[in-house]
Structures are given as structure tokens and as C-alpha cells.
Amino acid sequence: MSSNGIVLELNQLSCGYGDTTVVSQLDIHLRAGDIGCLLGPSGCGKTTTLRAIAGFEPVTGGHIQLDGREISRPGQQVPPEQRQIGMVFQDYALFPHLTVEDNVGFGINRDPQRRKVVKELLDLVKLGAYGKRYPHELSGGQQQRVALARALAPDPKLLLLDEPFSNLDGELRRRLSAEVREILKSRGISAMLVTHDQNEAFSVSDHVGVLKDGKLQQWDTPYNLYHEPATPFVASFIGQGYFIRGQLLSPDTVQTELGVIRGNRAYQLPAGSAVDVLLRPDDIVGQEPSSLKAVITGKTFLGATTLYRLQLPTGSTVESIFPSHDDHAVGESVGIRIAADHLVVFAARGSVNVHAQLPLEQVLDNENAAESA
């Protein structure tokens, strides 16, 4: 391990194909024993980044360090097989003609402790009784466990997981992702995951990097990404929500059509600035009686809770989560209040009308137009 406890460093990393830059000036530091994740929409560069870490793609700028050792920079690449990196692929990539135990032990054939290591790993992934079976005799979840055990067998310094659960159904995907996190944490293994599923990213990872068009928007804990997004894109990609227009009264206080809202930190904007305020469904709660009313225009039953789409008196739309036993009909007027301690505020784009509501999509359109100008 490097002296500063960092196992993986991406410093101003850029990579791409031919004249096309896919990833630009990426900075990420992963601490030893932590699980990181690259999250973003298709085409954002997350898989290209993972492949560059593995050594499958050359870098065009910056460099990659693993455990304090530089493994990749323009013109100087350590071969993939010498990087001490394990990889779990989306399609498992098991050898169909080998048994489970032979698949797991494939990369450690010369290890005198091979049989012991294979047994320990199969027990670890709860497949101790399946060693003599072949991949086609296993379920998708079991095959993925075999792929994980095989990647861990050479005792890598870093494990890379490329959309490892995408071929599994919802419930199995949820359970296996939790199991994989438990396995990695129990062995103190550092890992980097790639996914487009934020629920998966949040349940498995300690830190998540949100990418957009090959650029890192924010590298942070799942909690901070949700409650303190650094950009409107992160705010829109993580969770649900709407922006409403407001006016900054003081560094931590905003006047909106829902009243005065005070947050938990100061914003570096002048008093009087027009701002866009992010409100997530859990920021708006039901309350009776209340002077603040909204009309229900849609509802989605979620089991323990119900998600309501609400129209405010000005015509703006927001969403709110109510306990499911607090049942209301579409068209009904309900009392609400704001419970937004984590106030998320961005400088307003476009009109300065304090009561003009901007859906997330419109804010993003405005942001993209400004970037292109």
C-alpha cells in the first residue's frame, strides 16, 4: 500500500480512440479497502476509464498509479497481466469446458496452495458444494459468484467490476450486489465498479464518481451526491426532483413560492441573486392543517410510501413522498410543508422571475446551451 493509504490514483487522465477524446482530465483517488464506482449515462466514458485502468486502452494524457506505482502514462504502459488487477466482466467470461474449481484456479495453476485457495474462495462465495460442476449447470447468480472468486484468486491489489450485475433480474441483482460488497469488505479488497444504476452504485460503493461527456462532475459519498450535488447535472441524475425559482435573501436563506427556506450552509452568491432551488420528494411532507396547499395531479404507490405529483398555486409542479397509509385521491387538495435542511441552490439560468418553475430537464438544457455559447 502507498504511504498515503491511496491504492488507485487517476491524475488528469485522458483517453480515447484515434482523434476522439472519450475521457478528459479525470482526477480520482481511491483509498485502500474502499469500493469506488463510476456512474453515468451510456457513452459518458465510465467503461473506457475502467479499461484504461486495466490496461486495455492506452492513455493520451495524465497518468494512473496503482499502490504508489505508475502503471500508465502516454507512451509508457505496464502490460495488463503485470498490473496485479482482477476483473469481473458483465458476461462472466467463464471457460465452459472447465469445472467451477478449475475456473477459479485458472490464474494460479502454479501456486502450491492452489487447492486450498480455491476451496477458501468457493466457500467465501457460498459455492463450496459446486466445485465439480460446469458453468452451464449454474444459475446466472452462481456464475457471477464463480467469476468473482476467479478474479480474487491471484490476490489482486485492485478489483474492477464492469456492469457485473446487469444480466440478473431485480431481486437477485439487489441481493448479489449486497453479498459482493460484504465479501470485498470482509477481505479488505479495493475495487472499482462501473454501472449506470444509481441504486446499485449507492448500495455497493463508498465513493461514487458521476461522469458526463467524459468529464468528472463529482467524486463523493452517495450521501453527499444526493444531498449536496455539485452541479445541476448531478442533481438531475441522482434521485428525483424539481427546481423552483427563488431569490437569495442571505447566504443560507431563499425566498420561494413555497415561502422562506433556510438551508444548512452558506452559498457564495450575492444577496438578491435569482437562484434555482432543488426540491426532492423527501423535502416536501404532508401536514394538516397548513396554509400551503397543493393539488394532487398524479400518484404512484410504492408499498411503504406513495409518491404524489403536486401542482402548486402558481402552476409549478413538485413531488412528495407520503406514508402509504396517508392515502389521497388525484384532484384532492393537501396541506404540505418544506423539510429541506440540505438546501441545494444553483445560480439561476434564464428568467429571473422568482415564481418561475424550472423542471430539471429545462435547467440542463439551459446549462448545455450556456456551455456551448
Side-chain angles (χ1 to χ4, degrees), residues 257-279:
E257 62 186 282
L258 296 175
V260 175
I261 306 174
R262 175 166 292 171
N264 63 340
R265 64 186 176 98
Y267 291 87
Q268 304 303 312
L269 293 168
S273 296
V275 293
D276 294 319
V277 182
L278 174 68
L279 291 177

Side-chain angles (χ1 to χ4, degrees), residues 115-167:
R115 182 172 296 182
K116 178 183 177 182
V117 171
V118 169
K119 182 181 185 305
E120 288 178 351
L121 287 172
L122 287 179
D123 288 342
L124 181 68
V125 298
K126 302 177 183 178
L127 291 175
Y130 293 78
K132 301 300 182 182
R133 296 194 185 185
Y134 289 87
H136 73 272
E137 299 177 296
L138 305 179
S139 68
Q142 290 169 334
Q143 291 183 46
Q144 192 59 289
R145 287 188 181 92
V146 175
L148 175 63
R150 183 181 63 183
L152 295 178
D155 193 24
K157 293 184 180 296
L158 177 70
L159 183 68
L160 304 179
L161 302 103
D162 185 10
E163 301 267 13
F165 314 115
S166 61
N167 290 333

Side-chain angles (χ1 to χ4, degrees), residues 186 190 235 245 352:
S186 70
S190 309
R245 186 53 52 86
V352 296

